[in-house]
Amino acid sequence: MANNKYKIGTIGSHSALQILRGAKDEGFETVVFCKKNMTPVYKSFGVADEIIEIKDYSEVFEQCSDNIIMIPHGSFIEHIEKLKEMKGLYYGNKEILDWESDRNQERKWLSNAGIKLPKIFQNASEIDRPVIVKFHGAQGGKGYFLARDEQDFKTKIADHPDKKYQLQEYIIGVPMYIHYFYSVIHEELEVLGFDKRYESNVDSIGRISARDQMALKSVDPSYVVVGNIPLVIRESLLGNVFDMGHKVIKESRKITKNGLFGPFCLEGVLTPEQEFYIFEISARIVAGTNPYISGSPYSYVKYKEEMSTGRRIAREIKQAIEKDRLSEIIN
Ligand code: ATP
């Protein structure tokens, strides 16, 4: 079999269980690089043929070899500089990382693609509607706060001296995360699923009555992601969903040589007028695909088998190997 020559590997966290399960289902041997405390996890689930213990994730990039195809996920992005220099085989387009990881570049990409984005206010004096204040480098929405006007912002930002932030229009609607896959081998955009994030404490503030919130005083919303909840959207919205995905792919080919391919996610809010506002793109597998390790309703309709995003990646790699086209999807 063509895939005997290559193993599939990843860092042991984020969506590794899904990636490794999918790789094994497609007939690959698998390798996981993980911290010592995670070894029992990957042993227990039986998805890793080889477990390599590391002290820090950054060590992974020195240990890659020419027969392990590394699948990136959220834990890789924290080490973006090392990742860019990484030798060995990387699934995806490294050029896109610079666009994904810089808020200004990302915005340029999405707006040139014709995607609706929340307005950005350069100065607090321009605030004319509710804003969400996002700190640079914040992970998982930690510390974000809402402000209704300039005065409110000034009062709240006083607690965060010296921090860099972005003032973004707060879109009233429901958060929604769209899981796409673009296949180079089939030249096709696929929608594999949707999720919404379970964020602490914003998703539970409604359990406290307004009267008690006022009494408690200190209840400000925070957006720390602690889990992901599966979601199926109104079917009539799917046309828009595909349209946005195609636009993002088309624009990605103008800003980089090979464009975006494989799994990616548009992250945004859907308003009562049924308009999508996108505030972020992740150019890789997202943890929101984890509820679908045995497939999503959408992947079932398309594949009639258990097709997770992790398995879809492995299938693409397998077909690329069989058609001698691996170089088109490996950096
Ligand atoms: P990560 O990079 O880990 O996904 P982050 O720190 O970049 O997280 P965001 O995803 O930008 O954080 O935002 C966190 C949460 O804040 C979102 O899930 C959503 O609930 C809310 N949010 C972000 N931007 C907006 C917006 N413009 N309008 C309304 N809600 C928003």
Side-chain angles (χ1 to χ4, degrees):
M1 274 246 297
N3 42 342
N4 273 351
K5 189 175 158 203
Y6 297 102
K7 296 176 181 179
I8 283 190
T10 197
I11 291 178
S13 69
H14 191 269
S15 46
L17 287 173
Q18 180 190 166
I19 290 168
L20 300 172
R21 174 77 270 150
K24 284 190 79 66
D25 288 346
E26 291 299 307
F28 286 94
E29 274 191 39
T30 56
V31 187
V32 71
F33 297 85
C34 67
K35 294 186 185 164
K36 199 170 180 183
N37 68 324
M38 292 297 281
T39 295
V41 176
Y42 296 101
K43 261 197 188 141
S44 166
F45 286 107
V47 286
D49 295 306
E50 203 179 328
I51 298 177
I52 300 174
E53 283 184 2
I54 47 172
K55 286 209 168 68
D56 189 87
Y57 293 153
S58 59
E59 289 170 31
V60 169
F61 307 105
E62 286 134 37
Q63 299 204 24
C64 298
S65 71
D66 280 346
N67 72 333
I68 305 175
I69 300 174
M70 292 296 284
I71 313 296
H73 56 58
S75 305
F76 285 67
I77 301 301
E78 291 159 37
H79 305 279
I80 195 157
E81 291 310 319
K82 286 202 167 156
L83 173 59
K84 281 197 269 183
E85 301 302 318
M86 165 193 141
K87 302 224 167 40
L89 307 174
Y90 171 88
Y91 172 66
N93 180 359
K94 282 188 197 165
E95 267 186 90
I96 218 84
L97 292 170
D98 284 332
W99 288 84
E100 182 208 7
S101 59
D102 177 315
R103 275 199 208 281
N104 296 328
Q105 293 288 86
E106 178 184 47
R107 214 176 149 80
K108 213 190 283 176
W109 170 13
L110 295 176
S111 66
N112 287 345
I115 302 293
K116 265 202 193 96
L117 306 169
K119 190 176 154 79
I120 298 294
F121 298 95
Q122 302 302 343
N123 269 305
S125 59
E126 296 166 13
I127 299 175
D128 61 0
R129 63 196 86 178
V131 291
I132 178 164
V133 183
K134 296 186 171 188
F135 293 110
H136 287 287
Q139 275 180 1
K142 204 170 179 185
Y144 290 2
F145 65 85
L146 304 185
R148 62 178 176 277
D149 53 30
E150 183 183 358
Q151 196 44 52
D152 190 30
F153 166 75
K154 282 188 172 155
T155 311
K156 289 175 175 165
I157 199 69
D159 292 339
H160 308 274
D162 307 326
K163 276 198 190 163
K164 286 193 169 169
Y165 54 80
Q166 187 183 63
L167 299 175
Q168 203 175 88
E169 171 186 14
Y170 186 79
I171 306 292
I172 311 265
V174 287
M176 188 166 294
Y177 294 72
I178 312 170
H179 315 151
Y180 294 97
F181 187 89
Y182 184 83
S183 166
V184 171
I185 301 304
H186 298 282
E187 294 182 19
E188 190 187 359
L189 178 72
E190 302 171 18
V191 170
L192 293 180
F194 300 84
D195 76 289
K196 66 177 216 163
R197 307 229 156 134
Y198 200 35
E199 294 169 338
S200 191
N201 59 14
V202 76
D203 285 321
S204 69
I205 275 181
R207 290 158 55 109
I208 305 171
S209 71
R211 189 198 59 199
D212 289 343
Q213 285 186 35
M214 303 283 274
L216 289 169
K217 281 200 177 88
S218 60
V219 186
D220 278 322
S222 62
Y223 298 84
V224 178
V225 184
V226 293
N228 301 85
I229 304 169
L231 195 75
V232 169
I233 68 163
R234 272 173 85 157
E235 194 153 317
S236 58
L237 291 167
L238 282 174
N240 260 351
V241 166
F242 274 93
D243 184 49
M244 288 194 298
H246 282 296
K247 284 175 169 165
V248 167
I249 295 286
K250 194 169 165 206
E251 184 62 26
S252 75
R253 292 179 181 155
K254 294 186 195 158
I255 57 176
T256 64
K257 191 160 155 270
N258 295 321
L260 173 66
F261 58 83
F264 67 102
C265 177
L266 287 182
E267 314 183 353
V269 172
L270 186 54
T271 68
E273 291 74 35
Q274 302 191 49
E275 287 182 320
F276 283 102
Y277 283 82
I278 301 299
F279 50 74
E280 190 156 308
I281 181 166
S282 291
R284 57 192 149 78
I285 187 168
V286 289
T289 60
N290 282 338
Y292 303 122
I293 294 185
S294 59
S296 77
Y298 300 95
S299 72
Y300 180 76
V301 173
K302 187 155 178 73
Y303 288 98
K304 297 185 278 302
E305 62 181 319
E306 296 182 349
M307 183 60 73
S308 67
T309 296
R311 185 169 182 184
R312 185 66 194 84
I313 295 169
R315 171 104 21 123
E316 179 88 344
I317 293 172
K318 186 165 88 176
Q319 291 179 341
I321 294 168
E322 285 163 1
K323 294 178 196 297
D324 207 13
R325 295 178 59 187
L326 190 61
S327 62
E328 293 174 43
I329 57 170
I330 297 298
N331 229 209

